[in-house]
Amino acid sequence: MRRSDRILSALLLLGAAVTIAYWINYVVAGDVRVVPDLWYSAFEDAFPIADGWMGLCMIAAGIGFWRGSRSAPLFGLMAGSALIYLAAIDIPFNVERGLYRLLPASGAMVTEAVINVASLALGITTVTLCWRRALAMTGAAGAQRS
């Protein structure tokens, strides 16, 4: 197994675990809530199902890469695109509402910012690596048919 597959596997599984921990905290303790306002809760409350899908894709890809499964890059493409989408929704929301200004004084906002950066970085990395792997699989399949 490639070293990059093990690293990507670990990062995807870690990302899924962080997502689960985030939502458990959000529901049970609320420490990750940046502000107590209704507009913020209305926005965040729209994410559990989408984040659940993202987490399932990350788990499927992470386990797939660890096991060397041929389906891993395909699940990775789904996970990576979901991560990028999450960042593309969260970052503009935080910018438009001025939430990043809370960074110096808010641990919840620091957590949010780390999630934003990690989602974007892991999403782009995952899509890039998995796209190359999927193309290689397709090229190999095409060469076998010729």
Coordinates of all heavy atoms in Angstrom, one line a residue, residues 4-102:
S4 N 1.0 7.4 0.8 CA 0.0 8.5 0.6 C -1.4 7.9 0.9 O -2.3 8.7 1.4 CB 0.1 9.1 -0.8 OG -0.1 8.1 -1.8
D5 N -1.7 6.7 0.5 CA -3.0 6.1 0.8 C -3.2 6.0 2.3 O -4.3 6.3 2.8 CB -3.1 4.7 0.2 CG -3.2 4.8 -1.3 OD1 -3.3 5.9 -1.9 OD2 -3.2 3.7 -2.0
R6 N -2.2 5.6 3.0 CA -2.4 5.4 4.5 C -2.6 6.8 5.1 O -3.4 7.0 6.0 CB -1.1 4.8 5.1 CG -1.1 3.3 4.9 CD 0.0 2.6 5.7 NE 0.2 1.3 5.3 CZ -0.5 0.2 5.9 NH1 -1.3 0.5 6.8 NH2 -0.2 -1.0 5.5
I7 N -1.8 7.8 4.7 CA -2.0 9.2 5.2 C -3.4 9.7 4.9 O -4.1 10.2 5.8 CB -0.9 10.1 4.7 CG1 0.5 9.7 5.3 CG2 -1.2 11.5 5.1 CD1 1.7 10.3 4.6
L8 N -3.8 9.6 3.6 CA -5.1 10.1 3.3 C -6.2 9.3 4.0 O -7.2 9.9 4.5 CB -5.3 9.9 1.8 CG -6.6 10.5 1.2 CD1 -6.8 12.0 1.6 CD2 -6.7 10.3 -0.3
S9 N -6.0 8.0 4.2 CA -7.0 7.2 4.9 C -7.1 7.7 6.4 O -8.2 8.0 6.9 CB -6.5 5.7 5.0 OG -7.3 5.0 5.9
A10 N -6.0 8.0 7.0 CA -6.0 8.5 8.4 C -6.7 9.8 8.5 O -7.5 10.1 9.4 CB -4.6 8.5 8.9
L11 N -6.4 10.7 7.5 CA -6.9 12.1 7.6 C -8.4 12.0 7.3 O -9.2 12.8 8.0 CB -6.3 13.0 6.5 CG -4.8 13.3 6.8 CD1 -4.2 14.1 5.6 CD2 -4.7 14.2 8.1
L12 N -8.9 11.2 6.4 CA -10.3 11.1 6.2 C -11.1 10.5 7.4 O -12.2 11.0 7.7 CB -10.6 10.3 4.9 CG -10.2 10.9 3.6 CD1 -10.2 9.9 2.4 CD2 -11.1 12.1 3.3
L13 N -10.5 9.5 8.0 CA -11.1 8.9 9.2 C -11.1 9.9 10.3 O -12.1 10.0 11.1 CB -10.5 7.6 9.5 CG -10.7 6.5 8.5 CD1 -9.8 5.3 8.9 CD2 -12.2 6.1 8.4
L14 N -10.0 10.6 10.5 CA -10.0 11.7 11.5 C -11.0 12.8 11.2 O -11.7 13.2 12.1 CB -8.6 12.3 11.5 CG -8.4 13.5 12.5 CD1 -8.6 13.0 14.0 CD2 -7.0 14.1 12.3
G15 N -11.1 13.2 10.0 CA -12.2 14.1 9.6 C -13.6 13.7 9.9 O -14.4 14.5 10.4
A16 N -13.8 12.4 9.7 CA -15.2 11.9 10.0 C -15.4 11.9 11.5 O -16.5 12.3 12.0 CB -15.3 10.5 9.5
A17 N -14.3 11.5 12.3 CA -14.4 11.5 13.7 C -14.7 12.9 14.3 O -15.5 13.1 15.2 CB -13.2 10.9 14.4
V18 N -14.0 13.9 13.7 CA -14.1 15.3 14.1 C -15.5 15.8 13.8 O -16.2 16.5 14.6 CB -13.0 16.2 13.5 CG1 -13.4 17.7 13.7 CG2 -11.7 15.9 14.1
T19 N -16.0 15.4 12.7 CA -17.4 15.8 12.3 C -18.4 15.2 13.3 O -19.3 15.9 13.8 CB -17.7 15.3 10.9 OG1 -16.8 15.9 10.0 CG2 -19.1 15.7 10.5
I20 N -18.3 14.0 13.7 CA -19.2 13.3 14.6 C -19.0 14.0 16.0 O -20.1 14.4 16.6 CB -18.9 11.8 14.7 CG1 -19.3 11.1 13.4 CG2 -19.6 11.2 15.9 CD1 -18.7 9.7 13.3
A21 N -17.8 14.3 16.4 CA -17.6 15.0 17.7 C -18.2 16.4 17.7 O -18.8 16.8 18.7 CB -16.1 15.0 18.0
Y22 N -18.0 17.1 16.6 CA -18.6 18.4 16.5 C -20.1 18.4 16.7 O -20.6 19.2 17.5 CB -18.3 19.0 15.1 CG -19.0 20.4 14.9 CD1 -18.3 21.5 15.2 CD2 -20.3 20.4 14.4 CE1 -18.9 22.8 15.0 CE2 -20.9 21.7 14.2 CZ -20.2 22.8 14.5 OH -20.9 24.0 14.4
W23 N -20.8 17.5 16.0 CA -22.3 17.4 16.1 C -22.7 16.9 17.5 O -23.8 17.4 18.0 CB -22.9 16.6 15.0 CG -22.8 17.5 13.8 CD1 -22.1 17.4 12.7 CD2 -23.6 18.7 13.6 NE1 -22.3 18.4 11.8 CE2 -23.2 19.2 12.3 CE3 -24.5 19.4 14.3 CZ2 -23.7 20.4 11.8 CZ3 -25.1 20.6 13.8 CH2 -24.7 21.1 12.5
I24 N -22.0 16.0 18.1 CA -22.3 15.6 19.5 C -22.2 16.8 20.4 O -23.1 17.1 21.2 CB -21.5 14.4 19.9 CG1 -21.8 13.2 19.2 CG2 -21.6 14.2 21.5 CD1 -20.9 12.0 19.4
N25 N -21.1 17.6 20.3 CA -21.0 18.8 21.1 C -22.1 19.8 20.8 O -22.6 20.4 21.7 CB -19.6 19.4 20.9 CG -19.4 20.6 21.8 OD1 -19.9 21.7 21.5 ND2 -18.7 20.4 22.9
Y26 N -22.3 20.0 19.6 CA -23.3 21.0 19.2 C -24.7 20.7 19.8 O -25.3 21.6 20.4 CB -23.5 21.0 17.6 CG -24.4 22.1 17.1 CD1 -24.0 23.4 16.9 CD2 -25.8 21.8 16.9 CE1 -24.9 24.3 16.4 CE2 -26.7 22.7 16.4 CZ -26.2 24.0 16.2 OH -27.1 25.0 15.7
V27 N -25.1 19.5 19.8 CA -26.4 19.1 20.4 C -26.4 19.0 21.9 O -27.3 19.5 22.5 CB -26.8 17.7 19.7 CG1 -28.1 17.2 20.4 CG2 -27.1 17.9 18.2
V28 N -25.3 18.4 22.4 CA -25.3 18.1 23.9 C -24.8 19.3 24.7 O -25.5 19.7 25.6 CB -24.4 16.9 24.2 CG1 -24.3 16.6 25.7 CG2 -25.0 15.6 23.5
A29 N -23.7 19.9 24.4 CA -23.1 20.9 25.2 C -23.2 22.3 24.6 O -23.4 23.3 25.3 CB -21.6 20.6 25.5
G30 N -23.1 22.4 23.3 CA -23.2 23.7 22.6 C -21.9 24.5 22.6 O -22.0 25.7 22.2
D31 N -20.8 23.9 23.1 CA -19.6 24.7 23.1 C -19.1 25.2 21.8 O -18.3 26.1 21.7 CB -18.5 23.9 23.8 CG -18.8 23.5 25.2 OD1 -19.5 24.2 25.9 OD2 -18.3 22.4 25.6
V32 N -19.5 24.5 20.7 CA -19.0 24.9 19.4 C -19.9 25.9 18.7 O -19.5 26.4 17.7 CB -18.9 23.6 18.5 CG1 -17.8 22.7 19.0 CG2 -20.3 23.0 18.3
R33 N -20.9 26.3 19.4 CA -21.8 27.4 18.8 C -21.1 28.7 19.0 O -20.7 29.1 20.1 CB -23.1 27.4 19.5 CG -23.9 26.1 19.3 CD -25.2 26.1 20.0 NE -25.9 24.8 19.9 CZ -27.1 24.6 19.6 NH1 -27.9 25.7 19.5 NH2 -27.6 23.4 19.5
V34 N -20.9 29.4 17.9 CA -20.1 30.7 17.9 C -20.9 31.8 18.6 O -20.4 32.5 19.3 CB -19.7 31.0 16.5 CG1 -19.0 32.4 16.4 CG2 -18.8 29.9 15.9
V35 N -22.2 31.9 18.2 CA -23.1 32.9 18.8 C -24.4 32.2 19.2 O -24.8 31.3 18.5 CB -23.3 34.1 17.9 CG1 -22.0 34.9 17.7 CG2 -23.8 33.7 16.6
P36 N -25.1 32.8 20.2 CA -26.4 32.2 20.6 C -27.6 32.6 19.7 O -28.7 32.2 20.0 CB -26.5 32.6 22.0 CG -25.9 34.0 22.0 CD -24.7 33.8 21.1
D37 N -27.4 33.4 18.7 CA -28.5 34.0 17.9 C -29.2 33.0 17.1 O -28.7 32.0 16.6 CB -28.0 35.1 17.0 CG -27.3 36.2 17.8 OD1 -27.6 36.4 19.0 OD2 -26.4 36.9 17.3
L38 N -30.5 33.2 16.9 CA -31.4 32.3 16.1 C -30.9 32.2 14.7 O -30.9 31.1 14.1 CB -32.8 32.8 16.1 CG -33.9 32.0 15.4 CD1 -33.9 30.6 16.0 CD2 -35.2 32.6 15.5
W39 N -30.4 33.3 14.0 CA -30.0 33.2 12.6 C -28.8 32.2 12.5 O -28.6 31.6 11.5 CB -29.6 34.6 12.1 CG -28.6 35.4 12.8 CD1 -28.8 36.3 13.8 CD2 -27.1 35.2 12.7 NE1 -27.6 36.8 14.3 CE2 -26.6 36.2 13.7 CE3 -26.3 34.5 12.0 CZ2 -25.2 36.3 13.8 CZ3 -24.9 34.6 12.1 CH2 -24.4 35.5 13.1
Y40 N -27.9 32.2 13.5 CA -26.8 31.3 13.5 C -27.3 29.8 13.7 O -26.8 29.0 12.9 CB -25.8 31.6 14.6 CG -24.6 30.7 14.7 CD1 -23.6 30.9 13.8 CD2 -24.6 29.6 15.6 CE1 -22.5 30.0 13.8 CE2 -23.5 28.8 15.6 CZ -22.4 29.0 14.7 OH -21.4 28.1 14.7
S41 N -28.1 29.6 14.6 CA -28.7 28.2 14.8 C -29.4 27.8 13.6 O -29.3 26.6 13.2 CB -29.6 28.2 16.1 OG -28.8 28.5 17.2
A42 N -30.2 28.6 13.0 CA -31.0 28.3 11.8 C -30.0 27.8 10.7 O -30.3 26.8 10.0 CB -31.8 29.4 11.3
F43 N -28.9 28.5 10.5 CA -27.9 28.1 9.5 C -27.3 26.7 9.9 O -27.3 25.8 9.1 CB -26.8 29.2 9.4 CG -25.7 28.8 8.5 CD1 -25.9 28.9 7.1 CD2 -24.5 28.5 9.0 CE1 -24.8 28.6 6.2 CE2 -23.4 28.2 8.1 CZ -23.6 28.2 6.7
E44 N -26.8 26.6 11.1 CA -26.1 25.4 11.5 C -27.0 24.2 11.5 O -26.6 23.1 11.2 CB -25.5 25.6 12.9 CG -24.3 26.5 12.9 CD -23.1 26.0 12.1 OE1 -22.9 24.8 12.0 OE2 -22.4 26.8 11.5
D45 N -28.3 24.4 11.9 CA -29.2 23.3 12.0 C -29.6 22.7 10.7 O -30.1 21.6 10.6 CB -30.5 23.8 12.7 CG -30.3 24.1 14.2 OD1 -29.3 23.7 14.7 OD2 -31.3 24.6 14.8
A46 N -29.2 23.3 9.6 CA -29.4 22.8 8.2 C -28.3 21.8 7.8 O -28.5 21.1 6.8 CB -29.5 23.9 7.2
F47 N -27.3 21.6 8.6 CA -26.1 20.8 8.1 C -26.0 19.4 8.6 O -25.3 18.6 8.0 CB -24.8 21.5 8.6 CG -24.4 22.7 7.7 CD1 -24.9 23.9 7.9 CD2 -23.6 22.4 6.6 CE1 -24.6 25.0 7.1 CE2 -23.2 23.5 5.8 CZ -23.7 24.7 6.0
P48 N -26.7 18.9 9.6 CA -26.4 17.5 10.1 C -26.6 16.4 9.0 O -25.7 15.5 8.9 CB -27.4 17.3 11.2 CG -27.7 18.7 11.7 CD -27.6 19.6 10.5
I49 N -27.6 16.5 8.2 CA -27.7 15.4 7.2 C -26.6 15.5 6.1 O -26.0 14.5 5.8 CB -29.1 15.5 6.5 CG1 -30.2 15.2 7.6 CG2 -29.2 14.6 5.3 CD1 -31.6 15.4 7.1
A50 N -26.3 16.7 5.7 CA -25.2 16.9 4.7 C -23.9 16.5 5.3 O -23.1 15.8 4.6 CB -25.2 18.3 4.2
D51 N -23.6 16.9 6.5 CA -22.4 16.5 7.2 C -22.4 15.0 7.4 O -21.3 14.4 7.4 CB -22.2 17.2 8.5 CG -21.7 18.7 8.3 OD1 -21.5 19.1 7.1 OD2 -21.4 19.3 9.3
G52 N -23.5 14.4 7.7 CA -23.6 12.9 7.8 C -23.2 12.2 6.5 O -22.5 11.2 6.6
W53 N -23.7 12.7 5.4 CA -23.3 12.2 4.1 C -21.8 12.3 3.9 O -21.1 11.4 3.5 CB -24.1 12.8 3.0 CG -23.6 12.5 1.6 CD1 -22.9 13.3 0.8 CD2 -23.7 11.2 1.0 NE1 -22.6 12.6 -0.4 CE2 -23.1 11.3 -0.3 CE3 -24.3 10.0 1.3 CZ2 -23.0 10.3 -1.2 CZ3 -24.2 8.9 0.5 CH2 -23.6 9.1 -0.8
M54 N -21.3 13.5 4.2 CA -19.9 13.7 4.0 C -19.1 12.8 4.9 O -18.1 12.2 4.5 CB -19.5 15.2 4.4 CG -18.1 15.6 4.3 SD -17.7 17.2 5.0 CE -18.0 16.9 6.8
G55 N -19.5 12.6 6.2 CA -18.8 11.7 7.1 C -18.8 10.2 6.6 O -17.8 9.5 6.7
L56 N -20.0 9.8 6.1 CA -20.1 8.4 5.5 C -19.1 8.3 4.3 O -18.4 7.2 4.2 CB -21.5 8.1 5.1 CG -22.5 7.9 6.2 CD1 -23.9 7.7 5.6 CD2 -22.1 6.6 7.0
C57 N -19.0 9.3 3.5 CA -18.1 9.2 2.3 C -16.7 9.2 2.8 O -15.8 8.4 2.3 CB -18.4 10.3 1.4 SG -19.9 10.2 0.5
M58 N -16.4 10.0 3.8 CA -15.0 10.0 4.4 C -14.7 8.6 5.0 O -13.5 8.1 4.8 CB -14.8 11.1 5.4 CG -14.8 12.5 4.7 SD -14.2 13.8 5.9 CE -15.5 13.9 7.1
I59 N -15.6 8.0 5.7 CA -15.4 6.7 6.3 C -15.2 5.7 5.2 O -14.2 4.9 5.3 CB -16.5 6.3 7.3 CG1 -16.5 7.2 8.5 CG2 -16.4 4.9 7.6 CD1 -17.7 7.2 9.4
A60 N -16.0 5.7 4.2 CA -15.9 4.7 3.1 C -14.6 4.8 2.4 O -13.9 3.8 2.1 CB -17.1 4.8 2.1
A61 N -14.2 6.0 2.1 CA -12.9 6.3 1.4 C -11.7 5.9 2.3 O -10.8 5.3 1.9 CB -12.8 7.7 1.0
G62 N -11.8 6.3 3.6 CA -10.7 6.1 4.5 C -10.5 4.6 4.7 O -9.4 4.1 4.6
I63 N -11.6 3.8 4.9 CA -11.4 2.4 5.0 C -11.0 1.8 3.7 O -10.1 0.9 3.7 CB -12.8 1.7 5.5 CG1 -13.1 2.2 7.0 CG2 -12.8 0.2 5.4 CD1 -14.5 1.8 7.5
G64 N -11.5 2.3 2.6 CA -11.1 1.8 1.3 C -9.7 1.9 1.0 O -9.0 1.0 0.5
F65 N -9.1 3.1 1.3 CA -7.7 3.3 1.1 C -6.9 2.5 2.0 O -5.8 2.0 1.6 CB -7.3 4.8 1.3 CG -7.6 5.6 0.1 CD1 -8.5 6.7 0.1 CD2 -6.9 5.4 -1.1 CE1 -8.8 7.4 -1.1 CE2 -7.1 6.1 -2.3 CZ -8.1 7.2 -2.2
W66 N -7.3 2.3 3.3 CA -6.5 1.5 4.2 C -6.5 0.0 3.7 O -5.5 -0.6 3.8 CB -7.2 1.5 5.6 CG -6.3 1.0 6.6 CD1 -6.3 -0.3 7.2 CD2 -5.2 1.7 7.2 NE1 -5.3 -0.4 8.1 CE2 -4.6 0.8 8.1 CE3 -4.6 2.9 7.1 CZ2 -3.5 1.1 8.9 CZ3 -3.5 3.3 7.9 CH2 -3.0 2.3 8.8
R67 N -7.6 -0.4 3.1 CA -7.7 -1.8 2.7 C -7.2 -2.0 1.2 O -7.1 -3.1 0.7 CB -9.1 -2.3 2.7 CG -9.6 -2.5 4.1 CD -11.0 -3.1 4.1 NE -11.4 -3.4 5.5 CZ -12.7 -3.7 5.8 NH1 -13.6 -3.8 4.8 NH2 -13.0 -3.9 7.0
G68 N -6.9 -0.9 0.5 CA -6.4 -1.0 -0.8 C -7.6 -1.3 -1.8 O -7.3 -1.8 -2.9
S69 N -8.8 -0.9 -1.5 CA -9.9 -1.1 -2.3 C -9.9 -0.3 -3.6 O -9.5 0.9 -3.5 CB -11.2 -0.9 -1.5 OG -12.3 -0.9 -2.4
R70 N -10.3 -0.8 -4.7 CA -10.4 -0.1 -5.9 C -11.5 1.0 -5.9 O -11.5 2.0 -6.6 CB -10.7 -1.0 -7.1 CG -9.5 -1.9 -7.5 CD -9.8 -2.8 -8.7 NE -10.5 -2.1 -9.8 CZ -9.9 -1.5 -10.8 NH1 -8.6 -1.4 -10.8 NH2 -10.6 -0.9 -11.8
S71 N -12.5 0.9 -5.0 CA -13.5 1.9 -4.9 C -13.1 3.1 -4.1 O -13.8 4.1 -4.1 CB -14.8 1.2 -4.3 OG -14.5 0.8 -2.9
A72 N -12.0 3.0 -3.4 CA -11.5 4.1 -2.5 C -11.5 5.4 -3.2 O -12.0 6.4 -2.7 CB -10.2 3.8 -1.8
P73 N -10.9 5.5 -4.4 CA -10.8 6.8 -5.1 C -12.2 7.4 -5.4 O -12.4 8.6 -5.4 CB -10.0 6.6 -6.4 CG -9.2 5.3 -6.1 CD -10.1 4.5 -5.1
L74 N -13.1 6.5 -5.7 CA -14.5 7.0 -6.1 C -15.2 7.6 -4.8 O -15.8 8.7 -4.9 CB -15.3 5.9 -6.7 CG -14.7 5.3 -7.9 CD1 -15.5 4.1 -8.5 CD2 -14.5 6.3 -9.0
F75 N -15.1 6.9 -3.7 CA -15.6 7.4 -2.4 C -14.8 8.7 -2.0 O -15.4 9.6 -1.5 CB -15.6 6.4 -1.3 CG -16.7 5.4 -1.4 CD1 -16.4 4.1 -1.8 CD2 -18.0 5.7 -1.2 CE1 -17.4 3.1 -1.9 CE2 -19.0 4.8 -1.3 CZ -18.7 3.5 -1.6
G76 N -13.5 8.7 -2.3 CA -12.7 9.8 -2.0 C -13.2 11.1 -2.8 O -13.2 12.2 -2.3
L77 N -13.5 10.9 -4.1 CA -14.0 12.0 -4.9 C -15.3 12.5 -4.2 O -15.5 13.8 -4.2 CB -14.3 11.6 -6.3 CG -13.0 11.4 -7.2 CD1 -13.4 10.7 -8.5 CD2 -12.3 12.7 -7.4
M78 N -16.2 11.7 -3.8 CA -17.4 12.1 -3.1 C -17.1 12.8 -1.8 O -17.7 13.9 -1.6 CB -18.4 10.9 -2.9 CG -18.9 10.3 -4.2 SD -20.2 9.2 -4.0 CE -19.5 7.9 -3.1
A79 N -16.2 12.3 -1.0 CA -15.9 12.9 0.2 C -15.2 14.3 0.0 O -15.5 15.2 0.7 CB -14.9 12.0 1.0
G80 N -14.2 14.3 -0.9 CA -13.5 15.5 -1.2 C -14.4 16.6 -1.7 O -14.3 17.8 -1.3
S81 N -15.4 16.3 -2.6 CA -16.3 17.3 -3.1 C -17.2 17.8 -2.0 O -17.5 19.0 -1.9 CB -17.1 16.8 -4.3 OG -17.9 15.7 -3.9
A82 N -17.6 16.9 -1.1 CA -18.5 17.3 0.0 C -17.7 18.3 1.0 O -18.3 19.2 1.5 CB -19.0 16.1 0.8
L83 N -16.4 18.0 1.2 CA -15.6 18.8 2.1 C -15.5 20.2 1.4 O -15.6 21.2 2.1 CB -14.2 18.2 2.3 CG -14.2 17.0 3.3 CD1 -13.0 16.2 3.0 CD2 -14.1 17.6 4.7
I84 N -15.2 20.3 0.1 CA -15.1 21.6 -0.5 C -16.4 22.3 -0.5 O -16.4 23.5 -0.2 CB -14.6 21.4 -2.0 CG1 -13.2 20.8 -2.0 CG2 -14.7 22.7 -2.8 CD1 -12.7 20.3 -3.4
Y85 N -17.5 21.6 -0.7 CA -18.8 22.3 -0.6 C -19.1 22.8 0.7 O -19.5 24.0 0.9 CB -19.9 21.3 -1.0 CG -21.3 21.9 -1.1 CD1 -21.6 22.6 -2.3 CD2 -22.2 21.8 -0.1 CE1 -22.9 23.2 -2.4 CE2 -23.4 22.4 -0.2 CZ -23.8 23.1 -1.4 OH -25.0 23.6 -1.5
L86 N -18.8 22.1 1.8 CA -18.9 22.6 3.1 C -18.2 23.9 3.4 O -18.7 24.8 3.9 CB -18.5 21.5 4.2 CG -18.4 22.0 5.6 CD1 -19.8 22.2 6.1 CD2 -17.8 20.9 6.5
A87 N -16.9 23.9 2.9 CA -16.1 25.1 3.1 C -16.6 26.2 2.3 O -16.6 27.4 2.7 CB -14.6 24.8 2.7
A88 N -17.1 25.9 1.1 CA -17.7 27.0 0.2 C -19.0 27.6 0.7 O -19.3 28.7 0.4 CB -17.9 26.4 -1.2
I89 N -19.6 26.9 1.6 CA -20.8 27.4 2.2 C -20.5 28.1 3.5 O -20.9 29.3 3.8 CB -21.9 26.3 2.6 CG1 -22.4 25.7 1.3 CG2 -23.0 26.8 3.4 CD1 -23.2 26.6 0.4
D90 N -19.6 27.5 4.4 CA -19.3 28.1 5.7 C -18.4 29.3 5.6 O -18.7 30.3 6.3 CB -18.5 27.0 6.5 CG -19.3 26.2 7.4 OD1 -20.6 26.4 7.4 OD2 -18.8 25.3 8.1
I91 N -17.4 29.3 4.8 CA -16.5 30.5 4.7 C -17.2 31.8 4.3 O -17.1 32.8 5.1 CB -15.3 30.2 3.9 CG1 -14.4 29.1 4.5 CG2 -14.4 31.5 3.6 CD1 -13.3 28.5 3.7
P92 N -18.0 31.8 3.2 CA -18.7 33.1 2.9 C -19.7 33.5 4.0 O -19.8 34.7 4.3 CB -19.4 32.8 1.6 CG -18.6 31.7 1.0 CD -18.1 30.8 2.2
F93 N -20.4 32.5 4.6 CA -21.3 32.8 5.7 C -20.6 33.5 6.8 O -21.0 34.5 7.3 CB -22.0 31.5 6.2 CG -22.9 31.7 7.4 CD1 -24.2 32.2 7.2 CD2 -22.4 31.5 8.7 CE1 -25.0 32.4 8.3 CE2 -23.3 31.7 9.8 CZ -24.6 32.2 9.5
N94 N -19.4 33.0 7.2 CA -18.6 33.6 8.3 C -18.1 34.9 8.0 O -18.0 35.8 8.8 CB -17.5 32.6 8.7 CG -18.0 31.4 9.4 OD1 -19.1 31.3 10.0 ND2 -17.3 30.3 9.2
V95 N -17.7 35.1 6.7 CA -17.2 36.4 6.2 C -18.3 37.4 6.2 O -18.2 38.5 6.8 CB -16.5 36.3 4.8 CG1 -16.3 37.7 4.3 CG2 -15.2 35.5 4.9
E96 N -19.5 37.1 5.6 CA -20.6 38.0 5.5 C -21.2 38.4 6.8 O -21.7 39.5 7.0 CB -21.7 37.3 4.7 CG -21.3 37.2 3.2 CD -22.3 36.3 2.4 OE1 -23.3 35.8 3.0 OE2 -22.1 36.0 1.3
R97 N -21.1 37.5 7.8 CA -21.6 37.8 9.2 C -20.6 38.4 10.1 O -20.8 38.7 11.3 CB -22.2 36.6 9.8 CG -23.4 35.9 9.1 CD -24.5 36.8 8.7 NE -25.6 36.2 8.1 CZ -25.7 35.8 6.8 NH1 -24.7 35.8 6.1 NH2 -26.8 35.3 6.3
G98 N -19.3 38.6 9.6 CA -18.3 39.1 10.4 C -17.8 38.2 11.6 O -17.3 38.7 12.6
L99 N -18.0 36.9 11.4 CA -17.7 36.0 12.5 C -16.2 35.8 12.7 O -15.8 35.5 13.9 CB -18.4 34.7 12.3 CG -20.0 34.8 12.4 CD1 -20.6 33.4 12.1 CD2 -20.4 35.3 13.7
Y100 N -15.4 36.0 11.7 CA -14.0 35.8 11.8 C -13.4 36.9 12.8 O -12.3 36.6 13.3 CB -13.3 35.7 10.5 CG -13.5 34.5 9.7 CD1 -14.1 34.6 8.4 CD2 -13.2 33.2 10.2 CE1 -14.4 33.4 7.7 CE2 -13.5 32.1 9.5 CZ -14.0 32.2 8.2 OH -14.3 31.0 7.5
R101 N -14.1 38.0 12.9 CA -13.6 39.0 13.8 C -13.6 38.5 15.3 O -12.9 39.1 16.1 CB -14.4 40.3 13.7 CG -14.2 41.1 12.4 CD -15.0 42.3 12.4 NE -16.4 41.9 12.1 CZ -17.4 42.7 11.8 NH1 -17.2 44.0 11.8 NH2 -18.5 42.2 11.5
L102 N -14.4 37.5 15.5 CA -14.5 37.0 16.9 C -13.3 36.0 17.3 O -13.2 35.6 18.4 CB -15.8 36.2 17.1 CG -17.1 36.9 16.8 CD1 -18.3 36.0 16.9 CD2 -17.2 38.1 17.8

